[in-house]
Amino acid sequence: MATGNLPPQPSPKQVSEGCFRRSDGIFVPFRPYVLWMRLRAALSSLSDGALLTEAAHTAGFADAAHLTRAVRRMMGQAPSTLTAGVRWLS
């Protein structure tokens, strides 16, 4: 699995506490933080020209449908809707 777009690994203390402290000092529950970082990695892969399935696997999702469900749940739209008409800057 490619790891170029994946977030940094949390420390054991962050995992044991169940929260992650962002750089701005806000505490975020661990699971939503990990999901958000995976979504960012997937969208970053899509912006680099990856296919939906490739982006899903790169970010650690089981398949494109798993990624699509997560994006719909978090953002209210399908990944294809979010990326349609977007001109990615390189």
Side-chain angles (χ1 to χ4, degrees):
M1 167 163 61
T3 59
N5 292 327
L6 294 178
Q9 294 292 322
S11 72
K13 182 179 179 194
Q14 291 168 336
V15 172
S16 68
E17 291 174 350
C19 283
F20 178 79
R21 185 174 184 169
R22 295 186 336 196
S23 60
D24 58 6
I26 295 174
F27 283 92
V28 178
F30 185 69
R31 288 182 60 124
Y33 170 77
V34 169
L35 177 58
W36 183 253
M37 297 309 296
R38 289 170 63 200
L39 289 173
R40 286 184 57 193
L43 293 174
S44 177
S45 291
L46 288 171
S47 74
D48 291 340
L51 298 174
L52 191 60
T53 301
E54 294 170 341
H57 290 165
T58 297
F61 291 95
D63 54 23
H66 185 199
L67 170 60
T68 299
R69 284 191 305 273
V71 170
R72 281 185 195 270
R73 191 170 50 248
M74 294 289 283
M75 300 179 184
Q77 296 181 345
S80 58
T81 304
L82 292 174
T83 59
V86 173
R87 192 169 136 235
W88 301 100
L89 301 175
S90 30

